[in-house]
Amino acid sequence: MNIKSLFVSYWKKPTLSADDTKKEESKKSTKAQLELCESRLESLEILTTNDKIEDAKLILPTFLLDLVNLSRLIEGKDKLSTLPNLTEFVSGLNLTEKQTKEFSVFVEIADILGGDEKKFEESLEKFYSILSYFERQFSKTKTEVLFTEYDAYKRAFVVRLTALASVIAIALTSFFTYSYKFPKLKNQSLKIYFLESKTEQRLTEERSVSAELPVDKKGEWVEISLAVPDAVESFGALRIEPLRQRGIRFSMTEFQVLDAKGKVLLERKFDIGENLLPNRYEDFLSFQDVKTVANIKPGELLEMDSTGSRPQFTLLNQTILSPKTIKFKIRFLETHLAKKK
């Protein structure tokens, strides 16, 4: 069968000819005989393990006949009802020197049946090798002698199924790899927690604010103005969660906290200092799932890339009393798109 026929032919289950039908029946009966031999050998092993050697010896001649009939079925001959001359049977097989030693148990059957437990156990080891020999012979016969249109159909089916599974696997791998390397911006929300101090960083919903980020404004500066919750009478630090997706570049500017009269209580710049670190770097208490963009020059705006699904950083500040409004601008864009600019 060539590669072309695997994909062009054998789409429909074939109708077998009389000859192919006979071959399929032969394979079926030979397989059944092989399974019978395996079961019989397993029974011998169980009896021997449980010190029931005499019972095992009763089964052994039947097992030998099963093996002889297995050999005959593989050769396309009829089964026998009684054991033939075992010396002639072994000599009729095309065996190597090593295999001849293993098949010697056929002609030594009388000694085995009259021998002790050790001799019987040694014979079982040879019978396992003999059964393996017949399994290989059957496999070879199925390929070279008993191969049918139905085998070709099954082979083509397996090849097609494997090919389809490979295509699906490659497609899924490519999709997920592409999605990971080039994520698409999803609906986003930012969240800010007002913390008591550097040492007291307990997070509560009552001391937080959030806002949806308009995806259609990506790449543009978006102005955010949020009312500070009444529960926040003061704060000494801010935990900022700018978005909730990896692979996004973002930056913030014009960050202010105002009181009820619009007075600026806190103002912060997010830019790069002469040491190539964010200005007032000592105020950044922690980073998670975020990294600063490399090769930014002093004075330029600080840009950060999200490296996980929940990027966040915490900023320390002096204690702010009676905050009412927090205002800032934020810009966000997929990192891979930002790198092209």
Side-chain angles (χ1 to χ4, degrees):
M1 182 186 302
N2 56 38
I3 298 297
K4 181 179 179 180
S5 65
L6 284 175
F7 293 95
V8 175
S9 306
Y10 306 111
W11 284 100
K12 184 179 179 181
K13 186 175 180 180
T15 300
L16 299 181
S17 64
D19 184 53
D20 276 358
T21 300
K22 186 177 179 180
K23 289 180 180 180
E24 288 295 330
E25 291 174 351
S26 177
K27 284 188 290 186
K28 185 177 179 180
S29 60
T30 306
K31 182 181 179 182
Q33 185 68 21
L34 176 60
E35 292 173 350
L36 175 62
C37 290
E38 291 172 343
S39 175
R40 197 85 74 185
L41 184 55
E42 183 180 352
S43 297
L44 287 170
E45 182 71 34
I46 292 172
L47 289 171
T48 305
T49 302
N50 288 278
D51 297 324
K52 296 183 178 180
I53 298 299
E54 295 305 317
D55 291 343
K57 289 180 178 180
L58 292 175
I59 299 177
L60 185 56
T62 303
F63 175 58
L64 289 177
L65 179 59
D66 291 334
L67 287 176
V68 170
N69 283 329
L70 174 60
S71 176
R72 291 180 63 84
L73 288 176
I74 292 173
E75 295 175 357
K77 300 176 182 179
D78 294 332
K79 294 170 65 174
L80 300 176
S81 58
T82 58
L83 276 172
N85 184 300
L86 294 178
T87 301
E88 293 179 0
F89 168 72
V90 173
S91 63
L93 300 174
N94 185 20
L95 303 175
T96 63
E97 182 178 348
K98 180 181 178 181
Q99 290 167 345
T100 300
K101 292 180 180 179
E102 293 169 346
F103 273 80
S104 64
V105 294
F106 277 88
V107 296
E108 297 170 357
I109 184 63
D111 293 337
I112 295 171
L113 292 175
D116 58 13
E117 180 178 347
K118 182 179 179 182
K119 191 171 185 63
F120 193 90
E121 289 177 349
E122 291 175 352
S123 71
L124 289 184
E125 294 179 6
K126 293 182 179 180
F127 282 127
Y128 276 109
S129 297
I130 291 171
L131 190 56
S132 295
Y133 167 81
F134 285 131
E135 286 177 339
R136 293 192 298 272
Q137 290 299 107
F138 180 42
S139 179
K140 183 178 180 181
T141 300
K142 285 193 296 182
T143 303
E144 298 178 357
V145 180
L146 301 179
F147 193 84
T148 66
E149 288 292 308
Y150 184 61
D151 291 313
Y153 166 78
K154 290 189 293 184
R155 182 180 296 180
F157 178 81
V158 171
V159 171
R160 289 165 184 156
L161 185 63
T162 302
L164 178 61
S166 300
V167 170
I168 293 175
I170 292 172
L172 289 175
T173 301
S174 300
F175 171 77
F176 287 115
T177 300
Y178 184 87
S179 299
Y180 184 85
K181 293 180 66 176
F182 307 106
K184 185 177 181 180
L185 186 66
K186 303 174 183 177
N187 291 331
Q188 293 294 328
S189 64
L190 65 85
K191 195 163 192 175
I192 298 176
Y193 290 92
F194 299 87
L195 311 178
E196 291 287 354
S197 63
K198 178 180 179 180
T199 57
E200 178 54 55
Q201 297 190 27
R202 186 168 58 92
L203 305 179
T204 63
E205 291 299 317
E206 293 77 12
R207 293 178 62 84
S208 69
V209 291
S210 60
E212 296 299 316
L213 299 177
V215 176
D216 60 337
K217 297 292 184 181
K218 70 177 183 179
E220 303 177 16
W221 285 106
V222 178
E223 188 169 345
I224 303 294
S225 180
L226 300 169
V228 177
D230 294 336
V232 182
E233 297 179 355
S234 65
F235 67 91
L238 293 169
R239 181 165 120 171
I240 301 176
E241 299 179 358
L243 42 86
R244 295 174 182 267
Q245 186 182 345
R246 63 161 297 279
I248 308 299
R249 180 164 296 182
F250 65 92
S251 51
M252 301 176 71
T253 187
E254 299 180 22
F255 192 92
Q256 294 179 329
V257 179
L258 312 173
D259 65 9
K261 295 182 179 180
K263 179 182 177 181
V264 176
L265 303 176
L266 174 66
E267 189 168 19
R268 178 179 291 278
K269 290 184 178 181
F270 291 91
D271 57 0
I272 300 298
E274 292 298 327
N275 58 359
L276 299 181
L277 294 174
N279 265 323
R280 298 170 61 183
Y281 183 77
E282 63 278 3
D283 291 348
F284 287 82
L285 298 182
S286 65
F287 290 93
Q288 178 179 313
D289 290 348
V290 66
K291 67 177 182 179
T292 58
V293 176
N295 301 322
I296 302 180
K297 299 178 181 179
E300 292 183 344
L301 198 63
L302 171 64
E303 291 185 300
M304 292 182 273
D305 289 333
S306 59
T307 59
S309 60
R310 195 169 182 178
Q312 57 188 257
F313 56 93
T314 303
L315 291 169
L316 179 67
N317 52 261
Q318 76 274 17
T319 300
I320 303 298
L321 302 176
S322 302
K324 292 299 178 183
T325 307
I326 184 169
K327 297 174 61 177
F328 58 91
K329 289 182 178 179
I330 185 171
R331 182 173 59 188
F332 45 91
L333 182 65
E334 293 94 335
T335 298
H336 66 93
L337 294 178
K339 289 179 178 178
K340 296 180 181 179
K341 294 190 174 183

